[in-house]
Amino acid sequence: MKPALFKAHYLVLLLFPAATALAQETPGQVSPESARANFRRPVVLAVDDVRAFPDAPAGFNKPPAGGMQGRVEIFEYDSTVTGTRRKAVVYLPPHYSSDRKYPVLYLLHGIGGNEWEWSGYVHADAIIENLIAGGKAVPMIVVMPNGRALADDRPPPPDKIYSPQNAGGFVKFERDLLDCLIPAIQAKFSASTNREQRSLAGLSMGGGQALNFGLTHLDTFAWVGGFSSAPNTKPPAELVPDAAVARERLKLLYLSSGNQDGLISVSQGVHVYLQTHRVPHIWNVDDHGHDGETWGSNLYYFSQRLFVTTNQK
Ligand code: FER
């Protein structure tokens, strides 16, 4: 019998004890070639890069048998960043009423997506509706904006997705979100204006945005989630310059990645930094790639903690 020491994966661990985290890519550095290379990076797992949760149960992302009781609307707002009128998809929970204020989750899409990616591809509306119906999530408003803050914010053709121009729109969205979208949502809907009732999360490029904007605006967001975050993610020391402040102000910080995803080192870098600086967070490494299955399943676990269960002190 071959001694376990010589098994290939142990050898890999011995030669490369830690994954080298991918450095932040600024829009000017984004190209189809760099994206291809990033997606092909070898996955090197540490011992704690394991599941926090099983995959979400069967049917979790299917509309309830009796049909959706909540509704999805298209919301329009004026942006001083793009100089245009922009669209966001808004989910309103069952029995939505102006008699009460609702917490709000802002959900950000990936580099090739738009305001329909979360509802149309991942079925975020059905996921959250099922959780609310089962008493596992609090009734909340979910805002799914277009995170590409450009005058033309349509997804570019495939050969232009990994371009400085497209990636630049995702940086500009920070001011659009904070100065234009959030005030407009609060003016139109019965939304709480309290930071403890506001969350920011996203997938891939949107995961990077959620970490970049959420963690550096703790006056605005108390619940932050990055799923399969992309190389637009800032270095962790910029995201969390003061661990004591993060510990104090964050109600929930949730990071996830599939262990088949070449971008996992982005999230690993943030996780290791948070661990070193003792900032409580959830770290869920599932068996997926860079795909809708990991995003749906992680939204399922993230959203049921929102506005209730804190993992911070
Ligand atoms: C990159 C690879 C992937 C990158 C962005 C992505 C900015 C984003 C992927 C997605 O949103 O799905 O090199 O650079």
Side-chain angles (χ1 to χ4, degrees):
M1 213 205 309
K2 225 173 161 186
L5 190 62
F6 296 111
K7 280 188 176 171
H9 59 276
Y10 287 120
L11 212 57
V12 166
L13 278 176
L14 285 171
L15 295 173
F16 307 98
T20 46
L22 228 167
Q24 184 188 13
E25 233 175 42
T26 57
Q29 296 167 323
V30 173
S31 70
E33 292 71 33
S34 78
R36 201 173 305 120
N38 290 337
F39 280 126
R40 286 182 182 165
R41 284 172 66 95
V43 172
V44 182
L45 298 175
V47 286
D48 67 335
D49 294 344
V50 294
R51 285 180 175 281
F53 310 112
D55 273 345
F60 79 106
N61 58 358
K62 301 283 179 291
M68 295 281 288
Q69 303 299 307
R71 61 183 193 269
V72 165
E73 291 185 356
I74 299 175
F75 172 70
E76 294 195 1
Y77 65 104
D78 290 311
S79 170
T80 54
V81 172
T82 61
T84 57
R85 204 157 165 76
R86 310 197 69 226
K87 290 186 173 67
V89 172
V90 174
Y91 166 80
L92 300 174
H95 317 295
Y96 170 78
S97 151
S98 54
D99 294 347
R100 52 163 294 195
K101 296 282 187 199
Y102 293 85
V104 186
L105 164 62
Y106 292 83
L107 266 184
L108 310 179
H109 60 78
I111 195 160
N114 64 9
E115 65 273 24
W116 292 103
E117 184 171 28
W118 270 108
S119 58
Y121 178 57
V122 186
H123 309 298
D125 50 340
I127 293 171
I128 289 177
E129 172 113 352
N130 286 330
L131 287 170
I132 295 171
K136 287 181 161 182
V138 300
M140 65 181 89
I141 297 172
V142 184
V143 178
M144 293 161 276
N146 180 312
R148 183 186 295 104
L150 300 174
D152 180 356
D153 62 10
R154 293 172 298 179
D159 62 319
K160 299 272 170 23
I161 288 180
Y162 296 99
S163 66
Q165 160 81 357
N166 184 40
F170 287 77
V171 176
K172 295 195 179 91
F173 183 66
E174 180 170 6
R175 293 314 329 168
D176 184 66
L177 171 69
L178 296 169
D179 302 341
C180 312
L181 177 61
I182 292 177
I185 288 289
Q186 291 172 179
K188 162 93 187 270
F189 297 101
S190 198
S192 172
T193 56
N194 182 334
R195 64 177 291 280
E196 297 202 357
Q197 298 287 302
R198 207 185 284 114
S199 172
L200 185 63
L203 67 87
S204 197
M205 204 69 172
Q209 287 177 309
L211 300 177
N212 291 350
F213 309 159
L215 295 176
T216 61
H217 295 284
L218 295 176
D219 48 343
T220 304
F221 303 101
W223 314 75
V224 176
F227 313 138
S228 319
S229 297
N232 63 329
T233 305
K234 289 180 182 171
E238 279 181 43
L239 294 175
V240 184
D242 188 334
V245 170
R247 235 176 265 136
E248 187 64 34
R249 304 220 81 196
L250 276 171
K251 304 288 275 184
L252 175 66
L253 178 50
Y254 185 114
L255 297 176
S256 66
S257 174
N259 63 19
Q260 309 296 309
D261 186 343
L263 303 187
I264 191 172
S265 71
V266 173
S267 301
Q268 286 171 322
V270 181
H271 160 66
V272 167
Y273 180 93
L274 293 170
Q275 209 173 35
T276 306
H277 292 82
R278 289 176 291 105
V279 177
H281 60 286
I282 289 177
W283 173 225
N284 186 38
V285 178
D286 64 28
D287 300 322
H288 299 289
H290 199 74
D291 55 45
E293 286 172 303
T294 187
W295 301 328
S297 199
N298 282 289
L299 178 65
Y300 175 85
Y301 288 107
F302 177 69
S303 60
Q304 52 188 293
R305 283 164 178 74
L306 282 184
F307 315 121
V308 223
T309 317
T310 177
N311 69 349
Q312 314 292 103
K313 75 171 170 61

